[in-house]
Amino acid sequence: MARTVQKSGVLPVPNITLIEAVNLAMASEMRRDPNVVVLGEDIGRNGGVFRATLGLLDEFGEGRVIDTPLAETLVAAMAIGLSTQGIKAVAEIQFSGFLYPCVDQVVNHAARYRNRTRGRMSCPLVIRAPNSGGIHAPEHHSESLETTFAQMPGLRVVCPSSPARAYGLLLAAIRDPDPVIFLEPTRLYRLFKQPVEDDGEALPLDSCFIDRSGADLTLVSWGAMMHDTRLVADQLAEEGISAEVIDIATLKPLDMATILASVAKTGRCVIVSESPRAGGWASEVAANLAEHGLLSLFAPVMRVAGYDTVMPLAQLERSYIPDTDRILREVRKLFEMAPK
Amino acid sequence: MARTVQKSGVLPVPNITLIEAVNLAMASEMRRDPNVVVLGEDIGRNGGVFRATLGLLDEFGEGRVIDTPLAETLVAAMAIGLSTQGIKAVAEIQFSGFLYPCVDQVVNHAARYRNRTRGRMSCPLVIRAPNSGGIHAPEHHSESLETTFAQMPGLRVVCPSSPARAYGLLLAAIRDPDPVIFLEPTRLYRLFKQPVEDDGEALPLDSCFIDRSGADLTLVSWGAMMHDTRLVADQLAEEGISAEVIDIATLKPLDMATILASVAKTGRCVIVSESPRAGGWASEVAANLAEHGLLSLFAPVMRVAGYDTVMPLAQLERSYIPDTDRILREVRKLFEMAPK
Amino acid sequence: MKLLNHDSKATTRIASYEIFRTQYLNPDGSLIADPPAFTKDREQARAMYALMLRTRLFDKKAVALQRTGQLGTYAAVLGQEAIGVAIGHSLADDDIFIPGYREYAAQFARGVPLRAILQYWGGDERGMDYPAGTPAHHDFPLSVPIATQVPHAIGVAYAMKLRGEKRVVLASCGDGATSKGDFYEAVSSAKIWNLPIVFLISNNGWAISMPSHRQTGAQTFAQKGLAGGINGEQVDGNDVIATRAVLSAAIERARNGEGPSLVEALTYRLHDHTTADDARRYRPEAEVTAAWERCPVKRFKAYIEAQGFWNQADEDALVAEGTAAAEAAAQEFLKLKPAAPESMFDHLYASLPKALEWQRDEVAARGPVQGAH
Amino acid sequence: MKLLNHDSKATTRIASYEIFRTQYLNPDGSLIADPPAFTKDREQARAMYALMLRTRLFDKKAVALQRTGQLGTYAAVLGQEAIGVAIGHSLADDDIFIPGYREYAAQFARGVPLRAILQYWGGDERGMDYPAGTPAHHDFPLSVPIATQVPHAIGVAYAMKLRGEKRVVLASCGDGATSKGDFYEAVSSAKIWNLPIVFLISNNGWAISMPSHRQTGAQTFAQKGLAGGINGEQVDGNDVIATRAVLSAAIERARNGEGPSLVEALTYRLHDHTTADDARRYRPEAEVTAAWERCPVKRFKAYIEAQGFWNQADEDALVAEGTAAAEAAAQEFLKLKPAAPESMFDHLYASLPKALEWQRDEVAARGPVQGAH
Ligand SMILES: Cc1ncc(C[n+]2csc(CCOP(=O)(O)OP(=O)(O)O)c2C)c(N)n1
Ligand SMILES: Cc1ncc(C[n+]2csc(CCOP(=O)(O)OP(=O)(O)O)c2C)c(N)n1
Ligand SMILES: [Mg+2]
Ligand SMILES: [Mg+2]
């Protein structure tokens, strides 16, 4: 994989993958802000197991590209320590299943130092990790962790769904004065390319993206599942059903206003999420609809989600992860219950 | 506090507090089953910081009443190791805010060994912890952690709301062949007493309790908030509103059938929870109503929950924890929108 | 420690380590060895003693407040004051202190107002907003989740090193804390980057009801440093001279680029664990009585009296002044109006997300709630 | 390691520790010292060698399967086989083995079918259901979350002790794993209850791209035992004689109630970290070439040949047999039908909660899904 080092302006806008966009955002912000450092396991010479940090060591040196010991609690705690000193720490956790040892540090400290000290201290850090399944990876490499963190006060949780959004949202996350959990859709890392200009423009961290407008149905998703959700919208369009597609992207804080406005228009909503159904973030969206959108609903709010079982190993992971079939089936149910 | 050592039958049924009921359930099951052990920080001679394990060391000895080092990851991991050998480990975590270091072990191992080995191994363990606030405790002692665990496949999560339920549910939890997270409502520990017979009868781990029947409104809660919820139902009864009160108690797996049947009857639902609103278990209940109960709803599903901010220290905790005023206000809104 | 005990050429020694312990003052205040220069400085010695006694007087007041229902749970420092004094007198203003929750003396030395400590235990977050212009302003607040603050030192020290600053981080914790993975992940990694850190373990013999010898299989807590290839050393933590000497040496090593150290300071918790605890449930009274013989205040007082640095008039004046200061702090604390309820949202994020505004408004509209402090 | 370097009476030595290292065989197979009795037993020596070579042949096949798209990511054990052989030949059937993920030789010795290892890396949970009637049936499965399996040993060993059994737990992990709090919380506490545990660190020089000397400040990994007051010792992990001797000594100590030990076995990862890794990105080829000189298979073969226990005919027969066994395992694996999709619910709980039945039904109704294995 070639490094994408792109100055904006004269050169053509490169077509890059999501993982390249993540790499570009870090490199770009590290050039801009000498207080940005990256840290994590195998992120230096090796460039990270997914190559997200490729080239950063050569460009920025060992001081700012920190290979840590194999200790996730330490990675989080070190990022906290750095960030309290105004060093913007962008930590990588190698796979989503290894985020759990960070939970205590993130919840009890990163999310709280500002509050605890009444603003005297703060933790402007980012914890990045690949998230969700679909690449036939080993055990514990395919989990979807967004809800675990989105539940926690004091955090922001971001799940990009395209190279351009990964670039803009990661810039925003690094610049944000508070801790951000940035969960990257592993199976989209190299699935498709997009032109991404390295213009240093961040995207907002508190607004849903309306991917396409529609009148009959609101499809809501984030991260890897956005891909299937978009395909479903394509399919529905062919059938004459106009779906509005919303990418939550910034799960916490949740921009319900955009979703409520959409459902007020369409009256139907299907929420698609890979993380387990029970207690997942799809439930949070649905609960808000049940409270604030009830009168506009023509039909039940459907969740298409990962099952409430352990993420299976590779052979069965495709039976676990929602796909276009499962989404379409729920959509069709809706239109049966509440025909257009 | 006197130990309650009660043989069923001839002696009068003692009136005991919730913490005494927890103690009684452990003592009772340890007498019945020599494979039950308890472990945790300060649970031996000291009897636990809330005295839940009082008297167990004297009765059962150091072998079965294990004072651990100050290391919550170890407490969880040790419970896992014990339970794989058929020793039913009942671990205490001292305060809810210190459960986070257990998350990795619980989610990645306790909840998975059975699944991972296709049933060859299993983890029949219980992790008990005080949960939620209201007793003017120090920082990190007042958090509500139920959703963090209820989200996770492979676990059971239980939140008792009375001495009798604490006794029966803890017996069930200890006997259950799978890992159970048992979160005890700190501020109910000594708030009221109930006659609890030490009859060794466990309560079911997969059914809601209908505390009282009603026709106009379904109030759903669990744990400490059940107390305020019951008070609200009393108040409403005086006003001629008949509230059905449901104690979820066994949050995971969630018995939605009982809740749906109730809402089918009442058409109105308010869910009361102390844990933060966004992504809380109240959202899971509401999402299920939005999917399966939509047609029976006369009015929006309301959640009265902890705010999406860090649990404040003692001086402001009462402004954070939902109370009867806040619940009543939401109830009144409902009846304004959908009068009886 | 050989697993294979036969005396074979197959087995060779590849490393050896020694653990040392330092003590200058006997419990009666007499000297074991010639003490460091700072002990000869009358003003410094008096200042150290004054801080120690003032802390004890504050502690007494705090416990009294709690006993009379005017303060929440409080963790007393009775018997451990010398360690805080040694920290306070060893760190430079620019250094960063990452405390556990008992080192009030060090915090006072660095500018934390007495009132602020009461505020924290009184359930008011404003107690952690240490005043601008003091060293405490860049120090960490008290940390309740045991040991979790220790690895923050890695990041803080790394930041100092990255910026080429000659600053030092001192992170402290208790004996119980050393059982936690967080403690170890810090100790294990500090030397990788040769970071300017001093890890301080206040071994007060107990972690609530667990005696320190049941906390771990290690014979000393100092040797836990070896797991990270770090200098580990024990000191008599009730001997303020030794503690200051050892901490200062460790701090200067760190400042000079010689890397991290670990110090185990032996002391004794003379009080219950906190005011919510009753140590008589698990701890023999005779142990406490014996420990009073090693009291750090008494010991250092005997020393400075012997040096001619201190007399009864000094003592009387200090007791009066320290008692008044504690009393004034208590009054100040008790007169504070609770924060506005909606302030619970004020420092959650740098600026409150729109999605949460209604929650803040709701709390504000309700105003103070019955049953609050 | 003294912080205060002046030679004062104030400072006394309170403890000292030594770390030893054992090696019997030179890389060329010649002896450094008189070896333990088991090496004189022809059948045992042959069995150990056969297990080592069979494991290498299996490993080669597994890598080949992955390279041809017939297996998922696989973690090779190339170069580290002696450690697994030593474990397999040291543990009693009744003991419990808690592995990391590279000790296939030990697993094979304890009854795990070759096919099962392929199944696991091939993405099929059924690969962890080790056969009833073998020691492996009560062993732990592979553990991917690094170091997290180590503290399970505390609970397992406690259970053994509680029941008065004379059994031992061996928990193994890599050099990288020793940086995790989970590792330490186990090591720090094992001696509290004097538990029958052997902690084994396979120090293969690397944790993915991190050389072991950058993993921690400790000079040896053996000394990490000192943090828990545990015997810690190093052994040449490519010398199967030394490794078995040291492990056996540690196991017998544990069995006799003498408590836990920690063994650091020095070895080298000759392969990439896993088949998903490319070590050339970060590791000098010269280092790998040099490490081949220390190959454990070659070394032990030279030894048994010199003893007259082994000859070329034996070697040829073993290569043929081992290759066939690996091939047969591969065929068996490749012929397995994937589990029914709804089996993902079959072992979530002892019995499926009613609330989840519809999910199981939904998955069953869909049947196998395109894009699966
Ligand atoms: C992670 C965590 N677990 C448990 C507790 C409850 N707790 C508070 S203090 C304490 C004992 C601490 O002992 P030690 O580290 O020796 O410090 P000391 O109190 O003796 O100063 C415990 C268990 C806590 N605060 N944090
Ligand atoms: C908790 C956790 N973090 C990260 C990983 C990813 N990972 C897999 S193996 C490995 C390196 C392990 O090194 P070591 O312990 O030395 O064992 P080795 O692979 O060398 O045998 C890493 C970082 C993991 N599996 N688990
Ligand atoms: Mg202590
Ligand atoms: Mg390794």
Side-chain angles (χ1 to χ4, degrees):
Chain A
M1 197 186 77
R3 273 284 309 301
T4 310
V5 182
Q6 174 68 34
K7 290 272 186 299
S8 70
V10 284
L11 294 170
V13 176
N15 221 19
I16 62 176
T17 62
L18 199 153
I19 188 77
E20 288 168 324
V22 166
N23 179 267
L24 181 63
M26 287 190 282
S28 178
E29 197 61 10
M30 288 181 84
R31 278 175 213 130
R32 209 169 285 118
D33 181 353
N35 281 318
V36 176
V37 307
V38 295
L39 68 157
E41 298 163 8
D42 305 293
I43 64 146
R45 182 60 52 219
N46 198 37
V49 288
F50 285 104
R51 311 289 177 249
T53 53
L54 203 70
L56 301 184
L57 180 66
D58 285 339
E59 183 171 354
F60 303 103
E62 280 207 343
R64 292 177 66 197
V65 180
I66 312 166
D67 263 322
T68 65
L70 205 176
E72 285 78 12
T73 304
L74 178 76
V75 172
M78 185 171 180
I80 290 170
L82 286 162
S83 67
T84 61
Q85 306 307 303
I87 300 288
K88 299 200 155 206
V90 184
E92 172 173 302
I93 297 295
Q94 212 156 58
F95 296 98
S96 56
F98 312 134
L99 277 163
Y100 297 113
C102 302
V103 169
D104 188 36
Q105 284 288 339
V106 168
V107 173
N108 275 340
H109 288 303
R112 295 188 180 209
Y113 264 128
R114 181 189 292 282
N115 184 72
R116 179 184 288 148
T117 62
R118 303 282 85 192
R120 181 169 64 83
M121 295 172 66
S122 65
C123 294
L125 60 84
V126 179
I127 296 183
R128 296 176 41 245
N131 197 48
S132 64
I135 59 161
H136 278 55
E139 198 180 356
H140 303 285
H141 289 56
S142 303
E143 274 67 9
S144 298
L145 271 278
E146 59 270 25
T147 313
T148 303
F149 291 102
Q151 261 184 41
M152 300 297 178
L155 298 177
R156 291 179 185 274
V157 177
V158 179
C159 297
S161 67
S162 71
R165 284 191 193 145
Y167 173 82
L169 290 168
L170 185 49
L171 283 187
I174 300 174
R175 292 174 194 169
D176 192 81
D178 289 302
V180 180
I181 309 297
F182 195 88
L183 299 173
E184 301 160 6
T186 319
R187 73 174 175 278
L188 305 194
Y189 266 161
R190 299 187 166 84
L191 191 69
F192 62 95
K193 295 188 176 199
Q194 240 179 15
V196 176
E197 187 165 4
D198 182 16
D199 54 8
E201 294 282 337
L203 287 167
L205 286 185
D206 54 3
S207 311
C208 294
F209 296 96
I210 301 182
D211 257 40
R212 72 164 88 182
S213 303
D216 305 328
L217 165 71
T218 303
L219 291 173
V220 177
S221 192
W222 59 88
M225 288 313 309
M226 277 304 296
H227 186 67
D228 306 76
T229 304
R230 290 178 187 125
L231 293 178
V232 164
D234 290 343
Q235 168 73 26
L236 290 174
E238 284 182 22
E239 300 174 18
I241 294 175
S242 150
E244 181 141 312
V245 178
I246 297 183
D247 178 6
I248 297 191
T250 54
L251 277 77
K252 171 98 169 215
L254 174 61
D255 168 23
M256 270 309 296
T258 299
I259 299 170
L260 284 167
S262 175
V263 175
K265 193 169 63 172
T266 64
R268 297 177 195 81
C269 185
V270 175
I271 309 153
V272 183
S273 132
E274 180 167 335
S275 60
R277 179 184 184 85
W281 206 243
S283 301
E284 179 57 23
V285 174
N288 274 287
L289 289 172
E291 181 159 350
H292 302 293
L294 193 77
L295 301 183
S296 33
L297 285 169
F298 303 152
V301 179
M302 300 304 231
R303 289 168 291 160
V304 184
Y307 295 108
D308 293 314
T309 189
V310 173
M311 178 77 188
L313 294 188
Q315 290 195 8
L316 298 185
E317 67 174 341
R318 282 288 169 190
S319 288
Y320 178 93
I321 301 169
D323 56 17
T324 52
D325 282 355
R326 279 179 61 195
I327 305 169
L328 275 168
R329 204 189 41 196
E330 297 304 310
V331 169
R332 298 203 201 293
K333 269 195 220 163
L334 273 197
F335 282 93
E336 266 166 42
M337 287 188 270
K340 213 175 117 177
Chain B
M1 197 185 79
R3 274 285 309 302
T4 309
V5 182
Q6 172 71 32
K7 291 273 185 303
S8 69
V10 283
L11 295 170
V13 176
N15 220 21
I16 62 175
T17 61
L18 199 154
I19 187 78
E20 288 168 324
V22 166
N23 179 267
L24 180 64
M26 287 190 282
S28 178
E29 198 60 12
M30 288 180 84
R31 277 174 215 132
R32 209 170 285 119
D33 182 351
N35 281 317
V36 176
V37 308
V38 296
L39 68 156
E41 298 163 9
D42 305 294
I43 64 145
R45 183 59 52 219
N46 198 37
V49 289
F50 286 105
R51 311 288 177 250
T53 54
L54 204 69
L56 300 184
L57 180 65
D58 285 338
E59 184 171 353
F60 303 103
E62 281 206 343
R64 293 177 64 196
V65 180
I66 311 165
D67 263 321
T68 65
L70 206 176
E72 285 79 13
T73 303
L74 177 76
V75 172
M78 185 171 179
I80 290 170
L82 286 162
S83 67
T84 61
Q85 305 307 304
I87 300 288
K88 300 201 153 203
V90 184
E92 172 174 302
I93 296 296
Q94 211 155 61
F95 295 99
S96 56
F98 312 134
L99 276 164
Y100 297 112
C102 302
V103 169
D104 188 36
Q105 285 287 340
V106 167
V107 173
N108 275 340
H109 289 305
R112 294 185 181 212
Y113 264 128
R114 180 188 293 283
N115 184 72
R116 178 184 289 147
T117 62
R118 301 283 86 192
R120 181 170 63 84
M121 293 172 68
S122 64
C123 293
L125 60 84
V126 180
I127 296 183
R128 298 176 38 246
N131 197 48
S132 64
I135 60 161
H136 278 55
E139 198 180 355
H140 302 285
H141 289 55
S142 304
E143 274 67 9
S144 298
L145 271 277
E146 59 270 24
T147 313
T148 304
F149 292 101
Q151 263 184 41
M152 300 298 178
L155 299 177
R156 291 179 185 272
V157 178
V158 179
C159 296
S161 67
S162 70
R165 283 189 196 145
Y167 174 82
L169 290 169
L170 185 49
L171 283 187
I174 299 174
R175 292 175 195 168
D176 193 79
D178 289 302
V180 181
I181 310 297
F182 195 86
L183 300 172
E184 300 160 7
T186 319
R187 71 176 175 278
L188 304 194
Y189 266 162
R190 298 187 169 85
L191 191 69
F192 62 95
K193 296 189 175 195
Q194 238 178 17
V196 176
E197 188 165 2
D198 182 17
D199 54 8
E201 293 282 338
L203 288 167
L205 287 184
D206 55 2
S207 311
C208 294
F209 297 96
I210 301 182
D211 257 40
R212 72 166 89 184
S213 304
D216 305 328
L217 165 70
T218 303
L219 292 173
V220 176
S221 191
W222 59 87
M225 289 312 309
M226 276 304 296
H227 185 68
D228 306 75
T229 304
R230 289 177 189 127
L231 293 178
V232 164
D234 290 342
Q235 168 73 28
L236 290 173
E238 283 181 24
E239 300 175 17
I241 294 175
S242 150
E244 181 141 312
V245 178
I246 296 182
D247 177 5
I248 297 191
T250 55
L251 277 77
K252 172 95 168 218
L254 175 60
D255 167 24
M256 269 311 294
T258 300
I259 299 170
L260 285 166
S262 176
V263 175
K265 192 168 65 173
T266 64
R268 297 177 194 83
C269 185
V270 175
I271 309 153
V272 183
S273 131
E274 181 167 335
S275 59
R277 179 184 185 87
W281 206 243
S283 301
E284 178 57 23
V285 175
N288 274 287
L289 289 172
E291 181 158 350
H292 302 293
L294 193 77
L295 300 183
S296 33
L297 286 169
F298 303 153
V301 179
M302 301 304 230
R303 289 168 291 159
V304 184
Y307 296 107
D308 293 313
T309 189
V310 173
M311 178 77 188
L313 294 187
Q315 289 194 8
L316 298 185
E317 66 174 341
R318 282 289 170 188
S319 289
Y320 178 93
I321 301 169
D323 56 18
T324 52
D325 282 357
R326 279 179 61 196
I327 304 168
L328 275 169
R329 204 189 41 199
E330 297 305 309
V331 170
R332 297 203 202 293
K333 269 197 219 160
L334 273 198
F335 281 93
E336 266 166 43
M337 289 188 268
K340 212 176 114 176
Chain C
M1 285 218 251
K2 277 200 268 189
L3 290 173
L4 293 177
N5 266 321
H6 55 79
D7 189 22
S8 160
K9 270 191 301 177
T11 299
T12 52
R13 196 178 66 183
I14 54 168
S16 60
Y17 300 101
E18 298 178 312
I19 305 292
F20 292 91
R21 179 183 160 167
T22 299
Q23 176 180 1
Y24 283 98
L25 289 179
N26 287 310
D28 66 3
S30 62
L31 282 167
I32 292 167
D34 199 28
F38 68 81
T39 61
K40 312 280 159 71
D41 180 323
R42 184 174 186 275
E43 287 321 306
Q44 280 201 46
R46 285 169 60 97
M48 287 168 70
Y49 180 70
L51 177 58
M52 208 177 335
L53 187 59
R54 277 195 201 105
T55 301
R56 179 160 293 187
L57 294 166
F58 166 83
D59 199 57
K60 196 173 155 191
K61 180 73 202 175
V63 171
L65 284 171
Q66 192 282 334
R67 297 287 189 233
T68 52
Q70 300 173 88
L71 189 69
T73 300
Y74 170 77
V77 66
L78 188 69
Q80 308 178 213
E81 299 91 343
I83 297 173
V85 171
I87 298 169
H89 281 262
S90 302
L91 285 177
D93 285 359
D94 241 17
D95 295 339
I96 289 191
F97 178 39
I98 305 184
Y101 48 79
R102 281 194 212 275
E103 293 93 349
Y104 310 125
Q107 293 194 291
F108 297 152
R110 295 178 65 75
V112 174
L114 277 59
R115 179 257 309 145
I117 300 297
L118 298 177
Q119 250 179 307
Y120 178 65
W121 293 114
D124 181 350
E125 284 85 355
R126 295 173 300 178
M128 306 269 244
D129 185 12
Y130 307 146
T134 70
H137 190 64
H138 59 242
D139 286 347
F140 279 53
L142 278 68
S143 177
V144 161
I146 300 294
T148 56
Q149 76 280 10
V150 179
H152 300 169
I154 301 291
V156 174
Y158 192 99
M160 292 170 171
K161 205 167 170 177
L162 187 64
R163 289 175 167 151
E165 299 166 346
K166 287 220 144 206
R167 298 164 70 194
V168 175
V169 185
L170 189 148
S172 70
C173 66
D175 46 304
T178 66
S179 295
K180 292 258 306 174
D182 297 66
F183 166 81
Y184 172 73
E185 292 193 8
V187 168
S188 178
S189 58
K191 207 174 166 189
I192 297 172
W193 301 288
N194 214 37
L195 295 174
I197 301 179
V198 179
F199 297 108
L200 171 63
I201 301 165
S202 289
N203 180 355
N204 64 1
W206 293 86
I208 308 188
S209 73
M210 281 288 274
S212 50
H213 62 84
R214 286 192 57 196
Q215 192 65 235
T216 175
Q219 294 81 346
T220 70
F221 288 77
Q223 78 199 52
K224 287 176 178 277
L226 297 176
I230 290 183
N231 289 309
E233 198 162 303
Q234 219 181 49
V235 68
D236 185 329
N238 284 7
D239 171 355
V240 73
I241 296 179
T243 309
R244 177 170 164 180
V246 170
L247 284 183
S248 296
I251 289 167
E252 289 326 305
R253 270 180 57 97
R255 201 180 307 289
N256 296 332
E258 293 167 65
S261 320
L262 184 150
V263 176
E264 174 191 4
L266 286 172
T267 180
Y268 192 82
R269 193 194 82 203
L270 290 170
H271 198 265
D272 295 331
H273 168 67
T274 65
T275 52
D277 177 48
D278 176 4
R280 286 166 308 180
R281 300 179 57 79
Y282 53 78
R283 185 168 71 166
E285 280 298 313
E287 183 183 301
V288 184
T289 313
W292 271 103
E293 293 305 306
R294 299 181 58 245
C295 166
V297 177
K298 187 181 86 173
R299 191 186 305 196
F300 193 53
K301 184 175 169 218
Y303 172 76
I304 55 173
E305 280 175 350
Q307 299 299 304
F309 294 167
W310 198 255
N311 60 31
Q312 190 57 42
D314 292 325
E315 181 78 6
D316 294 344
L318 178 60
V319 168
E321 185 254 314
T323 306
E327 184 56 42
Q331 289 311 318
E332 198 189 338
F333 160 65
L334 292 170
K335 280 192 201 120
L336 281 171
K337 283 214 319 208
E342 67 274 20
S343 71
M344 69 173 77
F345 291 97
D346 287 355
H347 300 285
L348 182 62
Y349 298 95
S351 56
L352 192 69
K354 239 193 359 240
L356 293 184
E357 281 171 9
W358 71 270
Q359 296 193 8
R360 186 180 192 281
D361 293 346
E362 182 175 298
V363 175
R366 293 186 83 204
V369 171
Q370 203 68 29
H373 184 69
Chain D
M1 285 219 253
K2 275 201 267 188
L3 291 172
L4 292 177
N5 267 323
H6 54 82
D7 188 22
S8 158
K9 268 191 301 176
T11 299
T12 52
R13 195 179 67 182
I14 54 168
S16 60
Y17 300 101
E18 297 178 313
I19 305 291
F20 292 91
R21 178 182 161 167
T22 299
Q23 177 180 2
Y24 283 97
L25 289 179
N26 286 310
D28 65 3
S30 61
L31 280 168
I32 292 167
D34 197 29
F38 68 81
T39 60
K40 313 280 159 71
D41 180 323
R42 183 173 188 276
E43 287 321 307
Q44 280 201 48
R46 286 169 59 96
M48 286 168 68
Y49 179 71
L51 178 57
M52 207 175 340
L53 188 59
R54 279 197 199 104
T55 301
R56 180 160 292 189
L57 294 166
F58 166 83
D59 199 58
K60 196 173 157 193
K61 180 74 202 173
V63 170
L65 284 171
Q66 193 282 334
R67 297 288 189 233
T68 52
Q70 300 172 89
L71 189 68
T73 301
Y74 171 76
V77 67
L78 189 69
Q80 309 178 213
E81 299 91 343
I83 297 172
V85 171
I87 297 169
H89 281 261
S90 301
L91 283 177
D93 285 0
D94 240 17
D95 295 339
I96 289 191
F97 178 40
I98 305 183
Y101 47 79
R102 281 195 212 275
E103 293 92 347
Y104 310 126
Q107 293 194 293
F108 297 153
R110 295 179 64 75
V112 175
L114 276 60
R115 178 257 310 145
I117 301 297
L118 298 178
Q119 248 178 311
Y120 179 65
W121 294 114
D124 180 351
E125 283 85 355
R126 294 173 301 179
M128 307 269 244
D129 185 12
Y130 306 146
T134 69
H137 190 64
H138 60 241
D139 285 348
F140 279 53
L142 277 67
S143 178
V144 161
I146 301 294
T148 56
Q149 76 280 12
V150 180
H152 299 169
I154 301 290
V156 174
Y158 193 99
M160 292 170 172
K161 205 167 169 178
L162 187 64
R163 289 176 168 151
E165 299 166 347
K166 287 220 146 209
R167 300 164 68 194
V168 174
V169 185
L170 189 149
S172 70
C173 66
D175 46 306
T178 66
S179 295
K180 293 260 303 177
D182 298 66
F183 166 81
Y184 172 73
E185 293 194 6
V187 168
S188 178
S189 58
K191 208 174 165 189
I192 296 171
W193 301 288
N194 214 37
L195 295 174
I197 302 179
V198 180
F199 298 108
L200 171 63
I201 302 165
S202 289
N203 180 354
N204 63 2
W206 293 87
I208 308 188
S209 72
M210 281 288 274
S212 51
H213 62 86
R214 286 191 58 196
Q215 191 65 236
T216 176
Q219 295 82 347
T220 70
F221 288 77
Q223 77 198 54
K224 287 178 178 276
L226 297 176
I230 290 183
N231 289 309
E233 198 161 306
Q234 219 180 49
V235 69
D236 186 328
N238 284 7
D239 171 355
V240 72
I241 296 178
T243 309
R244 175 169 164 181
V246 170
L247 284 183
S248 296
I251 289 167
E252 290 324 307
R253 270 180 58 97
R255 202 181 304 290
N256 297 331
E258 293 166 65
S261 319
L262 184 151
V263 176
E264 174 190 4
L266 286 172
T267 181
Y268 192 83
R269 194 194 81 203
L270 289 170
H271 199 263
D272 295 330
H273 167 67
T274 64
T275 52
D277 177 50
D278 177 3
R280 286 166 307 182
R281 301 178 54 80
Y282 52 77
R283 185 168 72 166
E285 280 297 314
E287 183 183 299
V288 184
T289 314
W292 270 105
E293 292 306 306
R294 298 181 56 246
C295 167
V297 177
K298 188 180 86 173
R299 191 186 305 195
F300 193 53
K301 183 175 169 219
Y303 172 77
I304 55 173
E305 279 174 350
Q307 299 298 306
F309 294 164
W310 199 253
N311 61 31
Q312 191 57 43
D314 292 325
E315 181 77 5
D316 294 343
L318 179 59
V319 168
E321 185 254 315
T323 307
E327 185 56 42
Q331 289 312 320
E332 197 189 340
F333 160 65
L334 292 170
K335 280 193 201 119
L336 281 171
K337 283 216 316 214
E342 67 274 21
S343 72
M344 68 173 78
F345 291 97
D346 286 356
H347 300 285
L348 183 62
Y349 299 94
S351 55
L352 192 69
K354 241 193 359 241
L356 293 183
E357 281 170 9
W358 72 269
Q359 297 193 8
R360 186 180 192 281
D361 293 346
E362 183 175 299
V363 175
R366 293 186 83 203
V369 171
Q370 202 70 27
H373 185 71

